[in-house]
Amino acid sequence: MSVDVYLTFNGNCREAVEFYAEAFEEEKPKIMTFGDSPSDPNYPMPEEAKHLVMHTRLNINGSNVMFSDAFPGMEVNEGNNITLSLISKDEDKIKSYFNSLKEGGTVGMELQETFWSKCYGQVTDKFGIHWQVSLDSGEEAY
């Protein structure tokens, strides 16, 4: 298990990840946009979000670096645009880590099943560090 970095951008994620892929001599990454996600009639996708990057990643010298654009309406500033991402195949560990990190912190998204993970959550710890925890289902992600 490793801790990976997650970088968030204000609409220029595609440009950034393509730059990094070239700079680090990596293959052009697969990119999932917000428009590629399953639609939910209760939460219609804003037109301006559809082309934005929801998720992509590069493996730079053995380290996973993940990227996305902020969803419209979410503010990104220097300091909150970097998230540590903890991915494990052990659901009990994911729950334990999440519960420990949220103590004195702020939960952004409670642990829940999503279309990409059976157990995913977001929390900012008491020191202001942003974390994503996710159960690895073993499927190849973007």
Side-chain angles (χ1 to χ4, degrees):
M1 175 173 42
S2 64
V3 175
D4 301 325
V5 66
Y6 209 111
L7 305 175
T8 305
F9 295 84
N10 275 318
N12 60 342
C13 180
R14 185 181 303 270
E15 177 185 359
V17 75
E18 289 175 356
F19 168 80
Y20 294 128
E22 186 175 325
F24 293 108
E25 300 174 350
E26 298 293 332
E27 290 183 30
K28 189 173 179 173
K30 296 177 187 173
I31 294 177
M32 177 191 300
T33 65
F34 286 105
D36 294 332
S37 64
S39 62
D40 182 341
N42 296 317
Y43 302 99
M45 180 70 60
E47 198 60 41
E48 67 271 20
K50 291 182 179 178
H51 75 282
L52 295 174
V53 175
M54 180 178 179
H55 179 77
T56 188
R57 71 176 174 167
L58 294 173
N59 188 285
I60 301 173
N61 292 322
S63 295
N64 281 319
V65 179
M66 297 177 281
F67 305 80
S68 79
D69 279 312
F71 195 79
M74 295 178 68
E75 189 174 339
V76 175
N77 298 302
E78 285 187 28
N80 77 352
N81 61 330
I82 298 174
T83 303
L84 297 178
S85 181
L86 184 58
I87 302 169
S88 175
K89 293 182 184 223
D90 185 331
E91 188 169 357
D92 290 334
K93 282 190 178 191
I94 289 296
K95 290 177 179 177
S96 175
Y97 295 150
F98 185 84
N99 289 327
S100 293
L101 290 167
K102 76 178 188 180
E103 195 169 312
T106 305
V107 173
M109 183 178 187
E110 286 289 350
L111 286 176
Q112 60 190 270
E113 185 170 340
T114 64
F115 70 89
W116 66 87
S117 175
K118 294 202 183 299
C119 186
Y120 174 85
Q122 298 175 4
V123 63
T124 302
D125 69 25
K126 64 183 175 182
F127 301 104
I129 304 301
H130 303 282
W131 294 87
Q132 295 180 51
V133 295
S134 186
L135 180 66
D136 180 359
S137 65
E139 296 175 12
E140 180 64 28
Y142 282 90

